[in-house]
């Protein structure tokens, strides 16, 4: 039996030992080990991306083409959720319960402690009603995003669309993070850097229920988002809408350019689609539908379809012939129902002598076979190959067969074959002018995109030079657009020859192959064309500019599978010109006839 | 009148100052724990610190009332108070509303009163009364049994209310029993088996058994100092292990070396028994009994836990021990609590500057986890200051208790010290990850009227008794 003082000491000793153990433990976790300090920081700080509002887009007259509408991503931090009713949450945010469950599973497997997106882009109205119930779901919070909205439902190909960045972009560009949006096509892509602005980061202190309790250090470490720049395009929204209306039941393209600046007034690719279809959550299902559409609405024909230029190319050959002096303004050739050379026959519909102006007005094939043959067999040059090289230089000076370097994404260069191409095809020095003769009338190996075609006619309208066609007129906060759009690109052809060709083009409309393009009080200069289509009906082509003096608009129209240029393409061009120059249409019957006629590859 | 002046002069002001210091520090930390920008007034009674202020004022009135009670009354009414507490405990089971799975609160006009809190001082009174009786000695087995009954009847009733945490507090009386003559081996075995109970659920069975056996061999070594005996006994155990393992694999196709190890310990025990009989080594016998009973106990706890208890009971014990799987459950609480305290550093983040506690990362931060706020906002220095105040208070009570002429006062003093100590150990131990998460409050600190009043009553009865320390009660 121990004495009572011993027992007292034992009891006191036990108490002191326990307290000492606690002191040692406190020393360990509070002073010796600083990992808790770090955990505390992660615990209570939340880094929130402050997404920058994307710049909005206007037409040349200040009409809104694209703006932003708020949408909300539902985020979750899995380890902070409590038990909740998935069915209730699913119905609140209007998704299927199975979808929600999958998303939550994915979030959990990504990280239990970091936020991840559960449901993307919840619309404004759904969000408002859901937000009131959000408190029932600890661990969930929303993050505001912006979706694009297109009030006029036009110009989808030009404006393009945005979507989330993929892993490849994230790897290459440190700016982007998972979940960021990036321009995928159109202006959204080519002006991505200006439109996106700069996102910021805000650091919040949050409690265990993820309720924000305030900014971290009064926002000292926050970076503010900088809104994207607003962009004014060169488009005329009304003209664009009108073009889309005219081609609503057709396949084809219209490109209209202001010759004096190179500004693109309208760029229609038909069939088109409502740009709002490729926004937010509906984007992927709609995208699938559009991709599988046989009429290829996603394909931007204005930039990417390469058609033979057909008879419109005679304008270029005429100018080159005059400049190379293989013909003179007074040259006359005989057309006997076409061009005959040995076994070769290029058909035509004249019978008799054709002078220069009439060769354009009446689009004589025989005349241009002669011009082209003379150009390539010109004795100035040692060989056909050298002559062709020279000819090709002229052609490319019109912006044909080369990339124009516009500010539109996915632009193609078209095809004007190089010498190497024919060397490969016929063998070196084995090719003759007659083998290439179909290029005289714009057929054969030539491929020209509608925008190149419009640029060609703008060059003629300018009597010998062009500005690179472009879509952006002004970027907020920038006094000038890219200097490359301010620079004149000259052809090597004298201005006087252009006047001659333009006279021929004027006659095309007044008394030639496209009298149906005539508009009272407007002097339109144009040229019809028909692109041979081995897969079906020929494509109808028309290029034009107006007015003849001091031109305001140059236009190229392709209507696929529509036959002669004069049947469909020339009335479309004429209506467009009238719309643009006069603001109203004096021929409603024609307009209705054109718009209602259905010419699609695959009927809907 | 003179008597009253004398009474006040004889109060131990050191204890009272310590009490006031702890209560006010507690209030400051509750304020910090629930502080937010919307409610800054300290007298905002919609907030917990406002309510705690009311509890504190009421507690002071209770304390003053107790001071003016005749010191003989506590002894005289000890059994009656104890009886009332028992009835209240039974009553609460039938009539109280269930709150957080436990049926342990009375609700009277918006106030919630927890009889279990008051059962502690009632038990302390009854135990003091019983043990201070004439010619009562704990060495007497019947007396010992009665004393245990006084302690564990209310404890059992509290267990039945599903408030196991509060029931465990009654174990604190074992310290008092030890002081009053209970054999030290019971205290040791008490600590030992509580430790075994916790450890057997936390750690793999074979590891616990291995440690027990190594400990036994160590004890044997200390007593015998005969290395050949030790080597021999280890060799026997290993040989048995090998044989059993081979037998299991070849005849029963069971490859469980750990099961074999457990069996080996038992079978080698039989050999040791023969050995002990042959060489007449009595201490070895005791060590063997200690080893075997420990192994049986660990196995029984494990078996009972996984085979007898229902799933929800297992979960409850898991929560109690802080091994619940759920990240939002007890394991989460400990992690968050450690982060809060650990991030305090040496000097802490400063008053109202804590991010972990203020933003509700720490659960129950104004009640059971109030020490997190101390640790986070006042750092290591603040934490050891609070620990120091408690240590000072407990040792002061023990010092005063030893100076009592009356055994009743002494035993009651030890009860007060032991209960405060038990609460302190479990509560702070749980916040720093050294004790299972048992929801019991930190005395004087934690938010809540019941707890504050019960501790005030407990402490001030002793202060009152101490003021009459020269009287024989
Ligand atoms: Zn002809």
């Amino acid at each position: 039996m121990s004495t009572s003082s011993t027992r007292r000491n034992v009891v006191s000793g036990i108490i002191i030992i326990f307290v000492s153990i606690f002191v040692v433990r406190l020393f360990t976790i509070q002073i010796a080990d600083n990992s808790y300090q770090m955990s505390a920081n992660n615990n209570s700080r939340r880094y929130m991306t402050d997404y920058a509002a994307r710049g909005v887009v206007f037409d040349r007259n200040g009409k809104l083409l694209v703006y932003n509408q708020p949408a909300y991503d539902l985020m979750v931090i899995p380890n902070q959720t409590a038990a909740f009713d998935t069915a209730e949450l699913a119905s609140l945010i209007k998704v299927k319960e199975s979808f929600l469950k999958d998303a939550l599973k994915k979030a959990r497997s990504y990280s239990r402690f970091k936020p991840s997106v559960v449901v993307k882009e919840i619309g404004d109205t759904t969000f408002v009603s859901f937000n009131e119930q959000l408190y029932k779901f600890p661990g969930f919070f929303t993050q505001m995003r912006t979706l694009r909205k297109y009030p006029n439902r036009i110009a989808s190909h030009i404006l393009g669309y945005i979507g989330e960045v993929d892993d490849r972009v994230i790897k290459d560009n440190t700016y982007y993070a998972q979940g960021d949006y990036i321009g995928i096509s159109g202006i959204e892509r080519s002006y991505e850097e200006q439109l996106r602005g700069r996102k910021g980061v805000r650091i919040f202190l949050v409690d265990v229920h993820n309720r924000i309790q305030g900014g971290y250090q009064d926002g000292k470490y926050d970076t503010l988002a900088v809104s994207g720049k607003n962009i004014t395009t060169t488009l005329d929204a009304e003209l664009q809408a009108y073009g889309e209306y005219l081609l609503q039941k057709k396949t084809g393209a219209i490109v209209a350019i202001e010759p004096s600046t190179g500004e693109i007034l309208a760029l229609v690719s038909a069939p088109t689609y409502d740009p709002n279809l490729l926004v937010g959550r509906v984007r992927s299902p709609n995208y699938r539908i559009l991709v599988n559409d046989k009429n290829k609405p996603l394909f931007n024909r204005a930039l990417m379809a390469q058609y033979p230029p057909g008879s419109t190319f005679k304008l270029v050959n005429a100018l080159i012939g005059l400049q190379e002096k293989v013909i003179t303004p007074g040259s006359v050739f005989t057309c006997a129902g076409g061009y005959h050379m040995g076994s070769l026959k290029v058909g035509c519909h004249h019978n008799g002598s054709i002078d220069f102006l009439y060769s354009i007005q009446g689009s004589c094939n025989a005349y241009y076979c002669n011009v082209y043959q003379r150009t390539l067999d010109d004795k100035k040059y040692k060989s056909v190959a050298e002559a062709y090289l020279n000819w090709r230089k002229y052609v490319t000076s019109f912006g044909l067969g080369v990339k124009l370097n516009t500010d539109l994404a996915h632009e193609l260069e078209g095809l004007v074959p190089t010498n190497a191409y024919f060397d490969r095809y016929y063998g070196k020095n084995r090719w003759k002018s007659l083998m290439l003769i179909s290029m005289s009338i714009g057929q054969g190996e030539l491929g020209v995109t509608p925008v190149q075609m419009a640029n060609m006619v703008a060059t003629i309208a300018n009597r010998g030079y062009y500005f690179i066609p472009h879509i952006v007129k002004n970027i907020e906060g920038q006094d000038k657009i890219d200097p490359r759009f301010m620079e004149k690109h000259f052809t090597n052809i004298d201005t006087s020859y252009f006047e001659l060709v333009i006279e021929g083009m004027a006659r095309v409309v007044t008394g030639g192959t496209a009298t149906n393009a005539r508009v009272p009080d407007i002097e339109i200069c144009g040229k019809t064309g028909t692109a041979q289509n081995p897969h079906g009906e020929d494509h109808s082509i028309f290029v034009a500019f107006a007015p003849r003096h001091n031109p305001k608009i140059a236009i190229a129209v392709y209507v696929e599978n529509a036959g002669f240029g004069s049947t469909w393409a020339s009335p479309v061009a004429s209506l467009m010109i009238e719309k643009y120059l006069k603001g109203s249409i004096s021929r409603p019957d024609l307009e209705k006839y054109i718009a209602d006629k259905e010419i699609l590859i695959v009927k809907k | 009148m003179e008597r009253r002046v004398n009474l006040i002069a004889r109060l131990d002001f050191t204890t009272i100052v310590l009490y006031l210091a702890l209560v006010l520090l507690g209030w400051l930390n509750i304020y910090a724990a629930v502080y937010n920008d919307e409610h800054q007034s300290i007298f905002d009674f919609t907030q917990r610190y406002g309510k705690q202020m009311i509890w504190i004022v009421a507690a002071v009135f209770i304390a003053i009332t107790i001071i003016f009670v005749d010191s003989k009354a506590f002894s005289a009414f000890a059994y009656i108070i104890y009886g009332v507490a028992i009835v209240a405990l039974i009553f609460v089971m039938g009539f109280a509303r269930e709150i957080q799975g436990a049926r342990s609160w009375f609700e009277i006009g918006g106030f919630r009163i927890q009889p279990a809190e008051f059962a502690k001082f009632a038990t302390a009174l009854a135990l003091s009364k019983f043990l201070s009786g004439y010619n009562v000695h704990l060495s007497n087995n019947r007396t010992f049994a009665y004393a245990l009954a006084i302690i564990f009847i209310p404890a059992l009733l509290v267990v039945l209310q599903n408030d196991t945490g509060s029931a465990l507090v009654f174990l604190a009386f074992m310290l008092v029993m030890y002081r009053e003559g209970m054999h030290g081996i019971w205290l040791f075995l008490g600590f030992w088996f509580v430790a075994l109970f916790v450890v057997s659920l936390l750690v793999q069975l074979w590891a616990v058994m291995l440690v027990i056996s190594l400990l036994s061999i160590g004890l044997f070594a200390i007593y015998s100092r005969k290395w050949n005996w030790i080597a021999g006994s280890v060799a026997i155990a290993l040989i048995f292990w090998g044989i059993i393992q081979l037998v299991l694999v070849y005849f029963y196709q069971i490859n469980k070396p750990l099961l074999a190890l457990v069996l080996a310990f038992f079978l080698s025990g039989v050999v040791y028994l023969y050995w002990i009989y042959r060489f007449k080594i009595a201490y070895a016998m005791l060590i063997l009994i200690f080893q075997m009973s420990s192994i049986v106990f660990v196995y029984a706890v494990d078996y009972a836990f996984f085979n007898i208890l229902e799933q929800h009971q297992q979960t409850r014990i898991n929560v109690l021990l802080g091994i619940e799987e759920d990240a939002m459950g007890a394991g989460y609480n400990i992690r968050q609590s450690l982060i809060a305290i650990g991030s305090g550093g040496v000097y802490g983040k400063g008053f109202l500057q804590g991010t972990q506690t203020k933003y509700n990362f720490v659960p129950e931060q104004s009640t059971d986890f109030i020490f997190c706020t101390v640790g986070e906002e006042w750092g290591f220095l603040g934490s050891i200051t609070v620990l120091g105040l408690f240590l000072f208070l407990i040792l002061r009570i023990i010092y005063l208790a030893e100076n009592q002429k009356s055994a009743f006062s002494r035993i009651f003093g030890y009860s007060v010290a032991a209960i405060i100590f038990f609460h302190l150990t479990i509560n702070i131990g749980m916040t720093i990850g050294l004790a299972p998460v048992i929801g019991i409050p930190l005395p004087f600190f934690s938010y809540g009227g019941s707890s504050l009043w019960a501790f005030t009553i407990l402490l001030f009865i002793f202060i009152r008794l101490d003021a009459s320390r020269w009287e024989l009660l």
Side-chain angles (χ1 to χ4, degrees), chain A residues 335 348-350 364-366:
Chain A
C335 177
C348 193
H349 46 270
H350 306 109
C364 180
N365 289 344

Side-chain angles (χ1 to χ4, degrees), chain B residues 10-23 63 67 389-401 404 413 416-417 420 444 455-456 458-464 466-467 469:
Chain B
R10 274 186 273 133
L11 293 173
D12 185 58
F13 279 95
T14 309
T15 311
I16 293 173
V17 167
L18 284 170
Y19 165 80
L20 290 174
L22 287 170
V23 167
I67 296 295
L389 286 173
F390 272 109
L391 182 63
F392 190 14
L393 177 70
I394 293 166
L395 293 181
R396 178 75 188 172
I397 293 167
I398 289 174
Y399 166 79
L400 292 175
Q404 301 301 314
V416 176
I420 294 174
F444 315 116
F455 277 106
T456 302
L458 207 55
L459 185 64
F460 275 85
I461 289 176
F462 177 66
I463 289 171
R464 175 66 192 90
D466 173 64
R469 75 186 72 124

Side-chain angles (χ1 to χ4, degrees), chain A residues 233-251:
Chain A
T233 63
T234 60
L235 281 186
D236 183 306
E238 264 182 63
L239 188 66
Q240 175 75 24
Y242 190 61
E244 291 186 14
Y245 165 68
L246 293 176
L247 292 194
Q248 62 181 350
K249 293 177 176 174
K250 294 169 189 67
T251 340

Side-chain angles (χ1 to χ4, degrees), chain A residues 1 4 7-8 10 15 18 22 25 27 29-31 37 39-40 43-44 79 205-208 211 213, chain B residues 178-179 181-182 328 332 336 339 341-343 345 356 359-361 375 379-380 383 394 398 402 414 425 432:
Chain A
M1 264 300 176
S4 54
R7 285 168 179 271
R8 171 204 175 163
V10 168
I15 292 165
F18 270 82
F22 286 2
R25 173 72 172 168
F27 180 84
I29 64 172
Q30 292 189 303
I31 298 174
Q37 181 70 56
S39 300
N43 223 351
S44 55
N79 79 316
L205 290 172
V206 292
D207 71 5
V208 70
R211 291 180 299 223
Q213 301 290 319
Chain B
Y178 168 73
R179 167 60 185 85
M182 181 181 75
M328 283 302 278
Y332 171 86
Q336 296 299 338
I339 289 171
I341 295 172
S343 65
Q356 301 303 295
Y359 297 150
N360 300 331
F361 281 98
F380 180 67
S383 305
I394 293 166
I398 289 174
E402 288 292 347
Y414 263 93
T425 310
I432 58 179

Side-chain angles (χ1 to χ4, degrees), chain A residues 60-94:
Chain A
R60 66 189 296 116
N61 302 314
K63 210 166 166 184
L64 206 50
L65 293 175
V66 190
Y67 65 93
N68 296 313
Q69 61 179 353
Y72 301 85
D73 286 353
L74 178 66
M75 315 284 290
V76 69
I77 299 181
N79 79 316
Q80 293 178 357
T81 55
F84 65 96
D85 184 357
T86 44
E88 187 189 356
L89 183 58
S91 79
L92 278 170
I93 52 180
K94 304 200 168 95

